[in-house]
Amino acid sequence: MKYVLLVAGTLALGIGAVSAQQDIVKDRQATMKATGRALGGTLSAMAKGDKPYDQAAVDAAFATLTETAKKLPAMFPDSTKGLKEGTEYASSPKVWDDKAGFTAKIESFTKAVADTKAKVKDLDSLKANVGAIGKECGACHETYRLKS
Ligand code: HEC
C-alpha cells in the first residue's frame, strides 16, 4: 500500500513537472504574441498610416518590447527543448544547441529596442526607425523559430 502511494505520488509529481514545462511554452508564446501586437498592431500600423500616431500607445508598445527583451534570456529553459504547444510556430532545437548564437540575437534585439525607443518622438521618426526592430524579430525567427 505504501509502495502504491509512493508510485502514485511520484507519477503525480512527474505529471506536474511536465505541465509546468508546457506552461512555460504557453507563456513564451503569449509573450511573443503580445510582442507581435506591440510591433505590428501598434508601431508598424501607425508608421503605415493605418492608425493615427498616439504617443501614449507608442510608449506602451515600447514598454512591451522592453519587457520582452528582459524576459527572453529566461524564456527557454533546457527542460522545454522540443516541447510544442499546438500553435503555428515552435522553437527550433537550435535555441538550445547554439546558445551563444541565440544569446547574441537576444542582445542585438535588446539594443535595437533601446536605440529605437530613444529615437522615436513623432510619426516621422517612427517611420524612419521602426524597421530596425522588425529586422531583429526576423533575424531571430529565421534560425530559431520553426513552422510547426
Ligand atoms: C531572440 C529570438 C527572438 C526574437 C528577438 C523575437 N522572437 Fe518571436 N519567437 C521566437 C521563438 C523561438 C518563437 C517560438 C516560440 C515557441 O513556440 O516555443 C517565437 C514565436 C513568435 C510568435 C508566434 C507565437 C505563437 O506561438 O503564436 C510571434 C507572433 C512572434 N514570435 C513575434 C515576434 C516579434 C514581433 C518580435 C520582434 C518585435 C519577435 N518575435 C522577436 C524567438 C524570437
Side-chain angles (χ1 to χ4, degrees):
M1 185 61 193
K2 239 189 204 161
Y3 175 75
V4 171
L5 281 178
L6 200 72
V7 169
T10 311
L11 272 177
L13 268 177
I15 290 164
V18 168
S19 69
Q21 304 318 324
Q22 295 293 139
D23 285 348
I24 295 171
V25 178
K26 279 186 201 156
D27 261 13
R28 76 176 167 236
Q29 293 180 334
T31 299
M32 278 293 157
K33 278 186 186 139
T35 307
R37 283 192 296 271
L39 183 67
T42 303
L43 300 177
S44 302
M46 286 179 193
K48 281 190 240 157
D50 293 344
K51 278 186 182 174
Y53 188 85
D54 169 355
Q55 190 62 51
V58 167
D59 291 345
F62 275 114
T64 300
L65 295 175
T66 304
E67 186 67 24
T68 298
K70 266 192 213 143
K71 281 182 173 172
L72 267 165
M75 267 163 49
F76 300 85
D78 288 348
S79 55
T80 62
K81 182 178 179 178
L83 290 183
K84 290 182 185 168
E85 257 309 320
T87 65
E88 202 184 332
Y89 298 103
S91 296
S92 162
K94 287 183 190 149
V95 166
W96 295 275
D97 295 343
D98 174 23
K99 278 191 186 166
F102 188 64
T103 302
K105 290 283 185 267
I106 295 176
E107 282 166 4
S108 65
F109 171 70
T110 304
K111 188 174 180 313
V113 170
D115 289 353
T116 308
K117 181 171 176 258
K119 286 179 191 159
V120 173
K121 311 263 179 266
D122 53 22
L123 182 57
D124 283 342
S125 51
L126 177 67
K127 279 186 185 167
N129 294 294
V130 71
I133 298 180
K135 238 166 87 184
E136 294 293 330
C137 314
C140 186
H141 293 159
E142 190 182 17
T143 308
Y144 299 100
R145 187 177 76 169
L146 298 176
K147 277 242 171 198
S148 58

